[in-house]
Structure formats: structure tokens, C-alpha cells
Amino acid sequence: MRSACIAATLAAVAKVVGKQHASAVQEPSFRSTPLDVSAWFNNKAAAPSVGPLPNGSGFVNGSFIPSGYLPRGTWVDDGVEFHFPDDWDVLDLDNVRADGQAITLPIPAEIKSLHVVGVGESPAGFLKAETQATIQLRFTDGTESSVSFEVKNCYVLSEESVTDGGNAIVRSARATREWRSLPGLSNKAQVVRVKFTNPLSISKHQDEDSWVRGPIEVHLVGSGIVTVGAGSIPRLMPGDEITVEVLVTPSGNGAASFDNVHVELKGQRGQFWRRRLAHGVEGCALVTDWEAWTEERVDLEQHSALQWYRGAKFGLEEIFIHWGLYSVPAWTDEDKYAEWNNWWLHSEGAEGGTYKHHLQTYGPNFRYDDFIDRFHPDLFNATTWINLVASIRRNLRAIDVEASVTMSSMPDWFNPSYERYGKETFIGFANHTSAFAKDFFAKAARRDRPVTMNNRCGIGGDFHTPEMAEFQSVSPEQWESNVGIDPFSFGYNKATPVNDYRNASSIIHTLAAITAHGGNLHLNVGPTERGDIISAMSTPLLEVGEWLKHNGRGIYDTEPFMLMPELDTPSGRVYFTRNAMSLFVIFLDRPAGIVNIPAPLPVLKGDRVALLGQNGGPDERELSWGWDRQRTWWVDLSTDVDGDLAWVVEIRYATAVRERYRDEL
């Protein structure tokens, strides 16, 4: 019986003498090694049908995983191979409930990454949608590293370390149902994401021959496809990895499929490399009809978050608003949702803080529906709201969005017609979204209007939505953190002291952390019952917009620096983001003097380093930089640094610098 849910990835690299060419038999490859953890199994969590599991097994909240939805046998995700049971139902124990156990590798080895498949078991139900834990890694030299692990559905955790091997190798290729419409091309181009890694040990950082020096074009080649938009690897330092997008269409010659597809790399000087795909093209099939969607979950969940959405970073609509009858009482205990006022009145009873406040303020005969007569939004001015959002959007970024649909109102749990659903049931979590989504996606393709959908509609969705929380590590899935300027409530709550609200600095620091971990920030404001947005909410938004006008390059359209999203330095915590042209270092504390970053960074001779502009200052200021003998990167910030929110240093790669100056000339 094969039972394992942990895999270590190793790079098996064949030494090729002489120039690489398409006919070379041997080539670098990516290999993962599953680790058998069945000896640590201590819990039963998979069941074939509804009903309690024996002997108190399952999750602490009484639930279990339907075994029919679990992988069986060998399962590959993102190029990493896992071995699961062939038959979950015959096992007495089938998983490891984490309780401080120590799992050791059979033989200590230098590895690139460690991957864990896990699922959370928070006992708090729908009020706590994520489970957070910490995995402690211990190395043979005695050092330790803590990794935050957040799960909602199943995730794959990657803790980057080191390995040996060749230069750029393909880790995986995943086809998506995302398209691009290119000028002069009648068919939509399908997006395939190809992940590359440089498996050489990070200790070879100072050996520039161990780097992949770009730009290198990436093409997918096969009889059934044509590459119509090549990807590009800007550079790849030892130990690093990067994902590039390649656009393909059916070739029209024979069967349209991803069968027997390989990767071809083309350098600037005519170099040519060929890479096979050990697991083929994962994800979906080659799309020949973009309107062909079904109601099957496995089909709909191939839909993915869009390029413009992933790059927007500051939320789907920049801000969202909670405003309704609950804005009249605008009160609950400080650490609760004020927009749930009616829920707290009924669920907590006479001993609850919300009920006591309601009784004292409105009397025993005042019902929640009586707030209708008190809802007088005399200060509401649609133009004022639009101008606020427009001012933020001008400062943030204009996105061509024809329309957007957000969450609906609070379920009317206490209407007699709702009784048959149960008071703690969200109808939206189990509905007819499959039928709606089928037509929604088809219509979007027909109109050439890409759309996206979150995970709160009854199907998996394009992105996850942690609420009043954020992931502390890079997730392989797209995600968006939903938070309010009031850190406890989306609706306006008079019980929250204004000093507890998020200020501009807090919002920017949160945005930097979320961006560095691959997420988006969706920020909420709650107007009063009179329809005005108090200055404690509107002022920080305007200040954040002004900061982004000068520093947005380090946020928009960036990806995590997978090797090291964040670092605590002598100058305070910094976050890293990057795009195809630059690496960005975001300082949360004011940097001063010679600032050291004691970590390997993808920086080479000829790169240009600049401090992006602060409020009222120039857009950027060029800085001196270098490496010391210990390979610690330093940058000179001895001159006065303006601003008081956060500071962004851009390291523009030499190839991008040359292209920019060439364009200017």
C-alpha cells in the first residue's frame, strides 16, 4: 500500500559535453522523491459516505473528507509526484494529525524544496475559514527555520532550500483556460504557464557561470500546437525559480492536443536548448472551443484568475463598501462584525453585549426591522462617493472593468421562509452556481470579456478569500485578503475607537506583505447611516493612493521572489517583489546610511538601483550599491530619505536598463 503526502524535490542532471542542441539525448530534468509517512499515521479522515467516523476519528469539528474526491495512487501537482493510497476506504488510519511529531528524511540530503499536502480542521466552522499552523524545519548543521502553513482547501507548501544540478530546467507546464486576444490573430491564444528552476546550489551565487543569463525565449513545440507568444526568462540565479507564460493555439495540422509537446529555449546569441516535459502538460486540454463549458465542477474549476486581476494587487475594485440597516445601530462588541447586528441580537441572547446595548438604547419593544424608519441617509451623495473612488483609482490604477458583482446582503436567517435552510447555512455555499457559471464563462468568451469569480459561490472559484486575515507564506493558489479599515468590522461600528482604525502606514505594510506572498488586498469602508464616509476612513485611502502613485511599480504586476519573500535585516523587515525587468526591495522602516541585505539576490553587474520617489519628491533617485566580501549586498541610502510610510528600492536588470535607454535614444 503506497501512502505518502510529503515529497522532496531533487534535480537529476545529466552532464552533456559540448554544445547543447535539439538532438541531444541527455538533458537536465526535474525529479521529486515521495517520502513514506504511513508510519506516523494517527487518524482516520477519509470516509466513503456520510456519517460519523468510528472511535472519534475525523476532524475536530466532526467532519471528514469524502474519499471519492481524494487522489489515488500516483498524483502529480506542479511537477511534484505524491503517492497516495490506492484505496482509502480499507485503511484504519490514513493521515497524520499534526501534534509536534518529528519526521526525518531517510538519508540527510541537500534538497531544493519540501512539499506537503495538508488540510485544515478548525473547530470554529464557517466563522474561521482557514487553519494556520507552523512547521519547524531542522537542518544537519543545527539551524532551524519556521514556516507558516495556512490551509482552507488542500494546498501545497513549498519551503525553498538548495540542491545541485544543471542550469535552467523545466519543473512543470500547466495549461489554463485563460486566453489572450492578439492583434492579427483570429483565434484566442491559450495561456500555458511553464515553471523553470535553476537547481544549482545557492552557494554558487557568486559564480556567474552558474546563472541563467537572459533574456531567453521560451517556446512550446508539438505537432498539435503553435506558439504565438513566446515567454521570456530574464535571469535565474542558482536556487531560484520563475514562471513564464507561453501563448499557444491549435496548429491546424492533425489532432489539436498537447501530446508530445516539448520546450525549446532560444538565447540572444543563437543558443538553443531543448527540454522535455517529464509529466507532459498538466492542467486542462488544448482549447479549440472557448465557449464549450459544462456544469461539471471539474470543468468549471479549470477557470483561473485573470492576468489583470492578478496584477491589480489592490483588490478587485480597490475598495468595497458595507452599508445597510445595520449602519443605523452601528454597534456590536469591538471585536465583532457590526453588520451582523441582527445575528448577534438573536444568537447571543440577553447576556450578549449587542443585546444589552440595543435594550439600553432602543428599549425592549424595538425590533431590528424598526431601523427601516430610522435609515435617513441625508448626507449620502453619490457624486461624493464616486469622486472618492475616482480619486483613488486615478492614483492607484485605471482598470477597464465593464461591471463587477460583489457579495449580496446578509442572509435573512430569521425570516420564517429561511427556516428550512437552517440558521447557520449560507445558501450561497450550495446553490446553482454551476448552471450560472457555465453560461457566464461562455458569454464572456463570446464577447471577448475575461471574467473572474471567487470561491464563495459554491464552486472552487478562481481565487481564495481569507477574511480579516492574510497568508504568511506563498500559496500555489491565487488569493485575496478581505479586510476593513476598521480591523474588526466591515460595517461601521461606533464601538471601535478611531485610533484602532488602520492608518495609511498600516494599509501599505499589509499590502506589501500580501503582495510579497502572491496575494491581493481587498479593502473595505463602512459608511454611517447618514451616508457619509468618515475622515478616519477616507483620509488613509487618499494617502495610500498618493504613495502608490510614486511607488506602485513595486506592487502592480509583480510576483513573489519565491526564494525569499521577506527578510528581517539590521534595518528592519523588508519584503521582495519582482517582475520581468526588476527586483523590488520594500522597506517598512526608514532606511538610512549603508543598508545591508544579508541574503543572495538576483543582482548582477550593470544593474541600476534607484529609490522610488516619495510624496512630492522625484520619481526615483539613483543609488550606489555593491557586494562585500561575505557576499552581503549593500545599498547606499546616506542621503535624506523622504516620506514616512514605506520605501521602495528598485533593482532594474541590466538588460532592461539597456532596452530603456535604447528606447529613449
Side-chain angles (χ1 to χ4, degrees):
M1 184 66 65
R2 296 179 298 177
S3 306
C5 60
I6 299 181
T9 61
L10 308 172
V13 181
K15 184 176 181 181
V16 181
V17 180
K19 183 177 180 180
Q20 290 179 284
H21 51 84
S23 61
V25 176
Q26 293 180 310
E27 62 180 57
S29 62
F30 185 85
R31 179 171 59 89
S32 61
T33 301
L35 305 178
D36 187 354
V37 296
S38 57
W40 286 272
F41 283 175
N42 59 1
N43 184 51
K44 175 69 174 175
S49 60
V50 177
L53 292 173
N55 304 321
S57 293
F59 296 128
V60 295
N61 60 10
S63 62
F64 61 90
I65 302 177
S67 57
Y69 290 95
L70 292 173
R72 296 170 185 261
T74 299
W75 178 69
V76 177
D77 180 82
D78 200 18
V80 179
E81 184 176 298
F82 297 87
H83 288 175
F84 287 96
D86 294 316
D87 187 348
W88 290 90
D89 300 334
V90 301
L91 298 179
D92 294 327
L93 301 173
D94 58 22
N95 74 99
V96 182
R97 172 174 280 162
D99 189 25
Q101 301 96 322
I103 297 177
T104 58
L105 272 66
I107 301 175
E110 189 177 11
I111 63 175
K112 183 184 185 299
S113 54
L114 186 68
H115 301 256
V116 180
V117 175
V119 64
E121 58 168 349
S122 171
F126 65 83
L127 293 178
K128 181 66 175 177
E130 288 81 32
T131 296
Q132 298 182 341
T134 300
I135 295 178
Q136 195 78 7
L137 302 178
R138 186 170 299 145
F139 302 94
T140 54
D141 62 0
T143 60
E144 296 185 356
S145 176
S146 296
V147 183
S148 178
F149 190 23
E150 301 90 5
V151 288
K152 188 171 188 176
N153 298 318
C154 290
Y155 287 83
V156 177
L157 167 72
S158 296
E159 165 63 1
E160 299 301 330
S161 187
V162 293
T163 187
D164 286 324
N167 286 335
I169 64 174
V170 178
R171 171 168 165 175
S172 64
R174 179 174 293 274
T176 73
R177 295 284 285 267
E178 187 176 350
W179 77 80
R180 302 278 188 275
S181 295
L182 302 180
L185 189 66
S186 59
N187 297 326
K188 293 179 173 64
Q190 186 172 357
V191 176
V192 180
R193 297 192 177 99
V194 185
K195 183 175 290 186
F196 291 90
T197 183
N198 182 339
L200 290 175
S201 173
I202 205 169
S203 63
K204 298 182 180 295
H205 179 271
Q206 61 185 347
D207 178 11
E208 294 190 5
D209 289 338
S210 299
W211 289 55
V212 176
R213 305 290 293 270
I216 294 176
E217 286 189 3
V218 180
H219 297 254
L220 289 173
V221 179
S223 60
I225 65 168
V226 173
T227 293
V228 295
S232 179
I233 303 175
R235 67 175 52 165
L236 204 56
M237 60 177 270
D240 199 3
E241 67 178 38
I242 191 173
T243 300
V244 303
E245 292 188 349
V246 180
L247 306 181
V248 302
T249 60
S251 65
N253 300 322
S257 74
F258 286 119
D259 293 344
N260 301 316
V261 168
H262 66 271
V263 176
E264 290 184 358
L265 307 178
K266 299 178 181 180
Q268 282 187 307
R269 301 177 181 176
Q271 308 101 310
F272 177 77
W273 301 268
R274 178 173 177 167
R275 297 287 185 263
R276 68 182 181 89
L277 297 173
H279 301 288
V281 177
E282 303 173 41
C284 66
L286 183 65
V287 178
T288 57
D289 182 356
W290 288 95
E291 299 180 31
W293 290 92
T294 72
E295 295 185 20
E296 297 297 324
R297 290 178 64 99
V298 67
D299 188 40
L300 296 174
E301 291 179 358
Q302 290 178 353
H303 199 268
S304 59
L306 309 175
Q307 180 188 40
W308 68 259
Y309 168 77
R310 296 194 305 272
K313 298 306 176 187
F314 203 0
L316 184 58
E317 300 120 338
E318 283 78 50
I319 63 172
F320 66 116
I321 296 173
H322 277 68
W323 191 43
L325 281 188
Y326 46 80
S327 304
V328 179
W331 203 96
T332 190
D333 300 309
E334 183 182 349
D335 60 346
K336 296 177 180 177
Y337 291 160
E339 66 273 17
W340 285 39
N341 180 276
N342 195 28
W343 166 263
W344 304 127
L345 289 177
H346 289 79
S347 65
E348 293 185 334
E351 298 303 316
T354 303
Y355 183 85
K356 290 179 180 179
H357 176 269
H358 183 95
L359 185 65
Q360 180 180 0
T361 307
Y362 306 105
N365 299 319
F366 193 95
R367 300 172 303 169
Y368 184 81
D369 289 355
D370 293 332
F371 286 126
I372 296 174
D373 294 332
R374 298 196 179 195
F375 188 73
H376 298 298
D378 57 303
L379 296 181
F380 170 71
N381 186 309
T383 301
T384 301
W385 283 24
I386 291 171
N387 286 342
L388 174 62
V389 175
S391 175
I392 297 170
R393 290 175 71 91
R394 282 196 301 268
N395 286 341
L396 296 177
R397 189 168 72 165
I399 299 177
D400 180 19
V401 182
E402 180 176 311
S404 60
V405 180
T406 59
M407 293 179 62
S408 62
S409 63
M410 184 77 169
D412 193 358
W413 280 309
F414 307 105
N415 186 309
S417 298
Y418 201 97
E419 185 174 356
R420 63 193 177 100
Y421 297 109
K423 287 184 178 179
E424 296 189 17
T425 299
F426 284 93
I427 296 179
F429 285 2
N431 54 24
H432 295 293
T433 298
S434 295
F436 156 76
K438 167 182 174 291
D439 296 332
F440 182 49
F441 294 160
K443 183 178 180 180
R446 186 163 56 252
R447 299 177 62 193
D448 199 22
R449 299 288 299 184
V451 296
T452 193
M453 180 185 296
N454 69 22
N455 68 334
R456 300 191 179 196
C457 299
I459 59 176
D462 301 338
F463 55 94
H464 299 280
T465 53
E467 191 164 294
M468 292 296 189
E470 60 188 81
F471 293 170
Q472 300 299 318
S473 58
V474 179
S475 168
E477 306 289 343
Q478 185 65 37
W479 61 281
E480 175 183 83
S481 179
N482 297 272
V483 302
I485 292 184
D486 181 332
F488 309 108
S489 176
F490 293 119
Y492 177 53
N493 189 3
K494 297 174 184 176
T496 303
V498 171
N499 290 339
D500 286 354
Y501 284 11
R502 301 178 197 269
N503 56 27
S505 178
S506 172
I507 294 171
I508 290 171
H509 290 191
T510 299
L511 176 62
I514 289 173
T515 303
H517 293 130
N520 285 22
L521 173 61
H522 201 192
L523 190 64
N524 173 85
V525 297
T528 70
E529 82 280 6
R530 300 184 65 186
D532 62 322
I533 299 174
I534 64 175
S535 61
M537 292 189 183
S538 61
T539 299
L541 289 177
L542 296 173
E543 292 175 349
V544 170
E546 185 65 23
W547 183 87
L548 283 167
K549 182 168 67 176
H550 298 280
N551 297 277
R553 284 213 305 270
I555 299 294
Y556 302 132
D557 295 312
T558 62
E559 300 286 344
F561 178 36
M562 295 293 294
L563 198 62
M564 188 171 46
E566 63 191 61
L567 181 68
D568 290 321
T569 75
S571 300
R573 171 158 291 195
V574 299
Y575 288 101
F576 301 96
T577 63
R578 67 178 175 185
N579 58 30
M581 298 184 296
S582 303
L583 176 77
F584 299 92
V585 186
I586 304 175
F587 293 86
L588 303 188
D589 299 306
R590 184 190 300 273
I594 303 297
V595 176
N596 294 314
I597 306 293
L601 299 178
V603 186
L604 292 171
K605 183 179 179 180
D607 291 351
R608 180 176 178 269
V609 178
L611 176 69
L612 300 189
Q614 299 296 312
N615 296 354
D619 284 343
E620 57 187 55
R621 182 192 309 166
E622 193 160 354
L623 304 172
S624 300
W625 64 276
W627 298 92
D628 66 15
R629 293 182 178 179
Q630 286 73 42
R631 296 298 294 174
T632 295
W633 187 77
W634 60 265
V635 60
D636 188 354
L637 287 161
S638 299
T639 56
D640 291 338
V641 176
D642 300 326
D644 56 2
L645 298 176
W647 299 263
V648 180
V649 170
E650 178 182 13
I651 303 167
R652 184 174 286 265
Y653 302 152
T655 50
V657 172
R658 289 195 296 270
E659 290 176 3
R660 177 180 177 183
Y661 288 159
R662 181 188 62 197
D663 293 341
E664 291 176 352
L665 293 174

